[in-house]
Amino acid sequence: MKQILLILTTFLTLACNGQETKQDHFVLTISPIIDRTDKTNQKVIETLTEFLKTKNTSLTENKFWVQTDFQKYIYPYLDIYNIENSKYGKDFYRPTLVDIISTENPTQKIVKLAFIGHSKETQENQLKSIYNIIANIFKDKVLFSRYLDFSTEKWKTVNSGSLTYKISPNKTINEVEINEQQKDINKICNFFQCKSIAITYYSCVNPKELFEIKGFDYNPMMYADKTGGLADYGNIIFSGNNSEIYTHEIVHIYTSNLFPKIDKFIDEGIATFMAGSGKYNYEWHRNKLEKFLNENKDYDFAAHTNAYERIYFENETSIPYLSSSLILERTLRIYGKEKLIELLKSENELWTTLKTVGITKENINTEIRKQIKLPLTSVWQYGG
């Protein structure tokens, strides 16, 4: 990482000069360390320029990208889609080709990109990210592909039921957790009355390694948390918890397949209700929320329905996640499982959906506070 940043400093000025051009004129800054007389490098640069010019027009097709990636990953370059945009304007972060690196495979090269912004007002430079993609070299052309397959090519593969684990070489596989994860999947399938979904599970030691296998040499979120993970398109789980069990994200795989229009607030609520969040189960977080409310009597739930607003209590409990979970728990207690499933299926705006179970902006604070004082209603007593 330090070496990469050192390389960047050698030509950051060149990148900033590129920022001075008109916003509608595409510029790819190229590091002076790259041998531009090499014919393969020339072809990579030419193709990369065309890909970067066209990538934001579609997430589902690009003639400069390997076709099979779209079938496997759905949106294979989602991490850098519209990455140029910022609060400072469209195309603020401009691409810089940091390096073209040979691999053991003579037909593949690592293409290292940095996205750098320059503020004319403050004369400050901002690094958004450093990201890797793979250039696949053919006789007459170059096609790019996602870095993930390359970065995990030598990881151990373990199959368990509907799960295919990819295990980091930096950790020891936990067979007990694998068995527990399969039990949780059986409960999820029983609750939703559905068949199991084939899922690929990347088991990383921490979020930093998670971002690295996805292609990032640098992304500020690599260092934001010590644990975490995500469910990705293509039925993929990325776990940065040094663990073979991540039921919260597994639930997201099922909800995205069964209820593709599910509201994000409700989606995080059902995943937390079923599986907790982070290292702790729902009951643990529920108790934390009650403590939070005792200390924050004026907290307004109606003003915080963005599931990804970073409001945490004691660094562990997401208040938006738990408020959604309490609404779903209340729904289950009063209306039953069928009504809960209706909330998950709903394609309406959030408050229109919540109104069907008696929750409005005016009464949400009262109803959530009332629900949390009642004994826990377990989601699993309704199947699973």
Side-chain angles (χ1 to χ4, degrees):
M1 182 61 213
K2 289 181 180 178
Q3 291 177 331
I4 296 300
L5 292 177
L6 183 61
I7 291 171
L8 280 174
T9 62
T10 65
F11 60 93
L12 190 56
T13 301
L14 295 175
C16 295
N17 288 340
Q19 305 289 340
E20 301 299 323
T21 58
K22 293 181 180 180
Q23 289 294 302
D24 58 354
H25 180 65
F26 177 82
V27 174
L28 172 64
T29 302
I30 300 173
S31 167
I33 70 172
I34 295 174
D35 180 6
R36 297 177 70 171
T37 65
D38 181 271
K39 292 189 179 299
T40 300
N41 286 352
Q42 290 174 2
K43 190 64 178 178
V44 170
I45 292 169
E46 175 187 332
T47 309
L48 178 64
T49 300
E50 294 305 312
F51 166 68
L52 292 173
K53 282 181 179 179
T54 58
K55 71 179 178 64
N56 294 339
T57 61
S58 174
L59 271 172
T60 57
E61 60 179 0
N62 189 289
K63 66 180 181 180
F64 306 107
W65 200 272
V66 171
Q67 182 60 39
T68 52
D69 263 17
F70 294 101
Q71 299 162 6
K72 184 175 182 179
Y73 298 119
I74 315 302
Y75 310 121
Y77 47 85
L78 179 62
D79 285 329
I80 55 172
Y81 180 74
N82 279 329
I83 195 173
E84 300 84 358
N85 299 345
S86 83
K87 63 181 181 180
Y88 302 106
K90 187 177 180 181
D91 296 328
F92 176 75
Y93 294 104
R94 296 299 184 90
T96 296
L97 178 56
V98 179
D99 207 352
I100 300 173
I101 303 171
S102 296
T103 69
E104 295 176 359
N105 185 342
T107 66
Q108 287 189 323
K109 291 182 181 292
I110 300 170
V111 176
K112 197 173 295 292
L113 289 167
F115 292 88
I116 304 167
H118 177 71
S119 171
K120 293 180 181 179
E121 289 73 23
T122 65
Q123 294 300 306
E124 292 177 335
N125 306 318
Q126 298 182 32
L127 174 63
K128 178 70 173 286
S129 70
I130 304 171
Y131 191 73
N132 298 295
I133 59 177
I134 297 297
N136 300 277
I137 316 299
F138 300 92
K139 286 184 178 180
D140 59 341
K141 64 181 178 179
V142 170
L143 291 176
F144 297 110
S145 61
R146 193 173 184 179
Y147 186 70
L148 180 61
D149 282 342
F150 175 84
S151 63
T152 60
E153 184 178 12
K154 296 180 180 180
W155 284 29
K156 184 176 181 179
T157 299
V158 176
N159 294 305
S160 174
S162 58
L163 292 175
T164 298
Y165 282 95
K166 300 286 186 177
I167 308 295
S168 167
N170 297 315
K171 69 185 299 295
T172 301
I173 190 168
N174 190 321
E175 298 285 355
V176 173
E177 289 182 342
I178 287 178
N179 292 332
E180 289 300 315
Q181 185 63 90
Q182 193 57 56
K183 290 177 183 177
D184 281 356
I185 289 175
N186 293 340
K187 289 163 65 177
I188 293 168
C189 292
N190 190 19
F191 183 83
F192 288 132
Q193 291 294 291
C194 67
K195 295 181 180 179
S196 61
I197 297 171
I199 294 171
T200 303
Y201 187 117
Y202 291 89
S203 184
C204 306
V205 293
N206 53 38
K208 179 177 178 291
E209 185 177 53
L210 187 161
F211 274 91
E212 287 171 347
I213 67 170
K214 280 168 63 65
F216 289 98
D217 284 345
Y218 173 76
N219 181 305
M221 293 306 295
M222 294 171 71
Y223 310 98
D225 298 299
K226 294 183 179 179
T227 61
L230 65 138
D232 203 358
Y233 296 97
N235 298 332
I236 293 172
I237 296 293
F238 291 102
S239 171
N241 293 333
N242 195 29
S243 172
E244 273 67 81
I245 184 168
Y246 207 161
T247 306
H248 179 103
E249 296 301 336
I250 295 282
V251 172
H252 284 316
I253 294 288
Y254 278 82
T255 56
S256 66
N257 279 272
L258 298 171
F259 318 109
K261 301 292 186 179
I262 188 171
D263 182 271
K264 297 301 182 185
F265 179 70
I266 293 176
D267 195 21
E268 291 298 346
I270 190 63
T272 304
F273 189 19
M274 286 182 151
S277 181
K279 298 180 291 184
Y280 302 102
N281 63 20
Y282 172 58
E283 184 175 9
W284 186 92
H285 285 291
R286 192 181 191 271
N287 292 334
K288 288 291 183 180
L289 180 63
E290 186 168 16
K291 182 181 177 184
F292 170 82
L293 293 178
N294 289 335
E295 297 175 10
N296 299 269
K297 297 185 183 300
D298 295 328
Y299 182 80
D300 183 9
F301 288 100
H304 301 287
T305 56
N306 176 356
Y308 305 116
E309 189 175 4
R310 293 181 68 84
I311 306 174
Y312 286 90
F313 181 60
E314 297 183 350
N315 299 317
E316 287 284 357
T317 300
S318 167
I319 306 306
Y321 282 23
L322 267 291
S323 59
S324 176
S325 295
L326 263 293
I327 291 171
L328 297 179
E329 182 187 342
R330 174 186 176 277
T331 299
L332 200 57
R333 176 178 62 83
I334 298 174
Y335 300 97
K337 179 179 173 180
E338 185 176 345
K339 195 67 174 179
L340 175 64
I341 298 297
E342 285 183 18
L343 293 192
L344 305 184
K345 288 181 178 179
S346 176
E347 299 181 13
N348 293 324
E349 179 270 339
L350 176 63
W351 289 105
T352 302
T353 298
L354 295 183
K355 190 176 181 180
T356 64
V357 292
I359 296 292
T360 66
K361 291 181 180 180
E362 291 71 32
N363 73 5
I364 186 172
N365 291 303
T366 300
E367 292 301 319
I368 288 181
R369 285 174 169 84
K370 188 187 301 181
Q371 178 63 37
I372 205 167
K373 296 296 183 183
L374 298 174
L376 170 65
T377 299
S378 172
V379 67
W380 301 123
Q381 71 187 59
Y382 289 82

